[in-house]
Amino acid sequence: MTREELCDQLFICDRVLRDKIADINMADGPYKDIFIIGTSDKAGYRLARDEDDLKHYIKERKKRAEMILLPVKKAERILKEMEAWTS
């Protein structure tokens, strides 16, 4: 089910849905064994059903995290060089 379809069925906006998914994925209690995944190879969201679902999700998210950090590392390097020029 796509995010848009899920929003329509639950009568909530996309931001609220994403927040609820994040809350469930971090929660314990009644949600301790529930994990909602969305991956680039399949449209929409679904409950993780098996080890392969979780392995694929983890691999994809780690790659995304690495890609987010690359420009941060460059910015840190440039800042360090700028600070060296002014000291």
Side-chain angles (χ1 to χ4, degrees):
M1 174 178 299
T2 68
R3 222 168 48 211
E4 183 178 0
E5 291 168 338
L6 197 51
C7 287
D8 289 345
Q9 288 195 7
L10 297 173
F11 304 105
I12 58 176
C13 68
D14 185 70
R15 168 59 42 222
V16 171
L17 177 63
R18 287 185 285 150
D19 288 345
K20 287 187 180 300
I21 290 170
D23 290 345
I24 289 168
N25 284 348
M26 292 184 286
D28 286 326
Y31 299 115
K32 72 180 182 72
D33 294 322
I34 294 173
F35 201 84
I36 301 169
I37 61 171
T39 56
S40 63
D41 63 329
K42 295 180 182 174
Y45 289 87
R46 64 189 187 284
L47 295 176
R49 296 177 304 270
D50 54 32
E51 291 177 15
D52 289 338
D53 277 349
L54 289 170
K55 286 178 183 178
H56 182 74
Y57 173 86
I58 290 166
K59 181 180 176 183
E60 197 168 275
R61 287 299 173 130
K62 282 185 175 183
K63 182 65 174 172
R64 183 179 289 180
E66 290 170 10
M67 297 306 291
I68 289 170
L69 283 177
L70 286 176
V72 172
K73 290 177 182 180
K74 179 178 179 180
E76 288 174 335
R77 177 189 56 79
I78 293 170
L79 175 60
K80 187 175 180 179
E81 291 172 3
M82 287 178 171
E83 290 171 341
W85 299 334
T86 59
S87 51

